[in-house]
Amino acid sequence: MSETGERDPVSGRRTTGHEWNGITELDTPVPRGVLMFLIVTHVFAVLWWVLMPAWPLGTSYTQGLLGIDQRATVERELVAATARRADWMARIETAGFDAIRADAALMDVVRSTGARLFGDNCAACHGVDGTGRANYPDLTDADWQWGGGPEAIAETMRVGVNAPHPESRIAQMPAFGRDGMLDRSAVRSVAAYVYALGNPGYSTADTIDTIEAGREVFLTTCAACHGEDGTGEPAIGAPNLTDDYWLYGGDLQSIVTSVHGGRQGHMPTWDERLTDAQIRLLALYVHDLGIAEP
Amino acid sequence: MVAALTSAERQSAAVILLVVALAGLAMAILGGTGPLGVHGVLVMLFAGALVAVVFAGFYAPEPTEDRPTRYYDDPIKVGIALTMAWAVFGLFMGLWVAAQLAWPSLAFDAAWSGFGRLRPTHTTGVIFGFGGNALIATSFHVVQRTARARLAGQVSPWFVLFGYNLFCLLAVSGYLMGVTQSKEYAEAEWYADIWLVVVWVTYFVLYLRTLARRREPHIYVANWYYLAFILVVAVLHVVNNIAIPVSLAHAKSYTVWAGVQDAMVQWWYGHNAVAFFLTAGFLGMLYYYLPIRAQRPIFSYRLSILSFWGITFFYMWAGSHHLHYTALPHWVQTLGMTFSVMLLVPSWASAGNALLTLNGAWHRVRDDATLRFITVAAVFYGLSTFEGSFMAIRPVNALSHYTDWTVGHVHAGALGWVALITFGSIYTLVPALWQRQRMYSAALVELHFWLALAGVLVYVFAMWNSGIVQGLMWRTYTEEGTLAYSFLDSLVAMYPYYIARAFGGLLFLLGALVGCYNIWMTVRAAPHAAGRAADAPQPGGAAAVAGE
Ligand code: HEM
């Protein structure tokens, strides 16, 4: 066949003698380099089959001379990785918070590992640096709804807030307006009162009547949770309403919205997602964030 | 379109469309206000529009007796228009999802425009919309020219082309409504899948019958590739999509495969979709348009044989390299890896065969941007097949898997190989089909080439960087034995690369728009080529065959 084609002037090869709409093919043999390379890849493959698990044999398979199996490998590596961390993990898990905080080297571990754990688990809600955003609390300030010591933080993390955990912290701010416990004007006046608590300048001759009416409502309706002076009750998560820290916004309209529709923030429980050591480590990390902040 | 059909053929076209419209009506009634109902309406509108076209030409004069002495080019022309339309759509979707990864607010808080829905819209738009139409259109062209015979059907080419586009429409519009099987590249639901089987079998039969009519003693290698593409895609599609619908009135279905078998079937499918859709079919294109444009004989017939059988055999085994370090048994991973390595030589043999064919025509590569499209495509083909075999090696995959490196690899192939070979082929094909001397503007082809090349390079380099950075960040441990970076840290590190990738995509899209304009103007305004009489099927009769 190869002799039937004409000779290509560029390569000096003959064509195969067929032509399709102007296309011809040269009868060039497969270059030696290609065959060599083909053999090399096949030798590589065969070697790999001999060394590794490779071919099925009905219900089993060839195990390979090296006796490697991915499941065994990963189990071994997990054990080794745990062993590497065991030392400091054990101290985080068992030592008292104060003892850990006094140990500068261990606190370095808390800061580096904590930053990564926080980034993977908490940052989506509380921000990469823990400063929070609308509806998600700032964890770096001195203002704590549930207490800011490492123990309290660890407990908040363990049980969550309004979370499915049986011991979950419950923070139920009722929807006074929507559920008809207070009428419109009562909602407005109590909001004005709360607003004036933190903004004394708001109380003028024009607004004083509303504020006074609001004070009545507050004492009868709100004080049970937020305290007579409005400074809050950490045990039930009722926040201090007299400072300038607001989770849901401290302008008059946001306060009206809080009173009208209620608020039930949701903080997940980490009981099953994180180990005890991780929770304690994160509690120390979050606590430390607040202190590091001037 | 309709004028080329006899009145009997017009009738059968109308009947087919009516049946399709009735199926749409049934879907609409069963599906009610759910997605299936919406799709029923879409099917009716689609069929209705085509019925209108058929009726508008129903009483036009019949075609002349000499119809068999001409090639059947109308479906190819429409196919090219559809290819370019899908290119613009799919690339725009790609640009959009790329931009969402840099600026998530571009999802605009609506369900349909979220990343999870637009991403499959992009992949289906480019692979099946753009790539699939390009394959159908060029295969109709190549098979006729290399068989020297007219397509073996008058209505069936239209059925294949429009039926296929209906499938693409159902798929893409379904994703926007949240309809998906959650299988990558096979997201379309059961009813669309069944429809594609009908279309695909018609395509296969049409192709075989046309080859059977050939006036050439041998089947040219491009056709082997197109046939492998059609046949294997049919098998893959059927096996991977076997599913049981929740009910006939509901779009949702559940696959019959379970657990790790499901994963294996999916990636056997997914990998061979890359192999036979995005590789074999486009190699068919390469083997025809490269020698035509370069005016050179193929370097080696023997090398073609080696690479064809190498590719068809080895690819079939390679799918499990998508599931390294998973619940899939180790031995299956070993097989996927080693067959991927053995696949390298046949793949490179194709790329090498293409580049060596250019010996004696390199001056044309320098001067002719169309040929340069094809040449650079072959280079990218070689590059990404090497990269693929490399990434299939387990320890390498441990770094690359789940990172942007994979995305970079995909697009080195998708933009560099699939899209460039398609544009090169279309620029060769358009003047030939519309009988123009050349494209409207060579300068615009040149501009398109540089936009496209710059776009691919920016994209691929950005993703290599981001992928490797990501992979390394995810596996770096501190001295204490914990991970050094959170996932968020790695996201922050990706930001500049995501912007760069979106910019690369923008260049690529601009290139495609330039191409659309140039094609439009070629059809409208480029000077006619005289005397293309030679471009006709060989007259029938045994004499031609005997003349071998
Ligand atoms: C304007 C040009 C393009 C841009 C900007 C673009 C952008 C993207 C983006 C952002 C993704 C998602 C990556 C992720 O999930 O992280 C993607 C995925 C993908 N694109 Fe494109 N794309 C373009 C063109 C194409 C073309 C022409 C093809 C094929 C012919 C293609 C095929 C794919 C495939 C197969 C995937 C899935 C990759 C995987 O799962 O690893 N793209 N593209």
Side-chain angles (χ1 to χ4, degrees), chain A residues 8 10 18-21 24-28 48-49 53-54 61 70 84-85 88 112-113 116 120 123, chain B residues 145-146 218 288 296-302 326 328 330-331 333-334 337-338 394 478 480-482 487:
Chain A
D8 167 46
V10 178
H18 304 296
E19 188 250 285
W20 299 266
N21 206 32
T24 53
E25 295 170 310
L26 298 179
D27 200 23
T28 319
W48 201 276
W49 294 340
Y61 54 87
Q70 62 165 0
R84 245 176 104 189
R85 295 189 291 257
W88 60 263
S112 73
T113 302
R116 205 266 304 155
D120 278 340
Chain B
R145 267 46 178 200
T146 57
H218 286 255
Y288 183 81
R296 291 285 304 146
I298 291 290
F299 168 71
S300 167
Y301 164 69
R302 292 157 194 270
T326 64
L328 192 73
H330 198 150
W331 62 266
Q333 300 176 26
T334 302
M337 164 186 148
T338 47
R394 281 178 96 243
T478 60
E480 297 86 49
T482 57
F487 185 72

Side-chain angles (χ1 to χ4, degrees), chain B residues 255-275:
Chain B
T255 177
V256 298
W257 309 108
V260 75
Q261 275 90 355
D262 184 28
M264 187 61 248
V265 170
Q266 158 61 24
W267 284 109
W268 166 77
Y269 164 89
H271 189 73
N272 285 304
V274 174

Side-chain angles (χ1 to χ4, degrees), chain B residues 40-62:
Chain B
V41 174
L42 184 77
V43 170
M44 283 195 291
L45 289 176
F46 191 91
L50 290 176
V51 165
V53 173
V54 171
F55 282 163
F58 208 81
Y59 297 105
E62 297 233 355

Side-chain angles (χ1 to χ4, degrees), chain B residues 91 94-95 97-98 101 115 119 122-123 126-127 130 184-185 404 406-407 410-411 414-415 418-419 459 501 505 508-509:
Chain B
L91 294 177
L95 177 58
V97 286
L101 286 173
F115 182 82
R119 190 186 192 275
H122 159 63
T123 52
V126 284
I127 299 176
F130 168 59
E184 196 168 17
Y185 319 133
D404 286 333
T406 305
V407 179
V410 166
H411 289 86
L415 301 174
V418 169
Y459 192 125
R501 182 251 302 269
F508 207 85
L509 172 63

Side-chain angles (χ1 to χ4, degrees), chain A residues 1 52 62-63 79 96 202 218 222 235 242 279 292 294:
Chain A
M1 178 167 94
M52 296 286 174
T62 59
Q63 311 279 326
V79 170
Y202 181 64
F218 191 86
C222 322
T242 62
I279 290 185

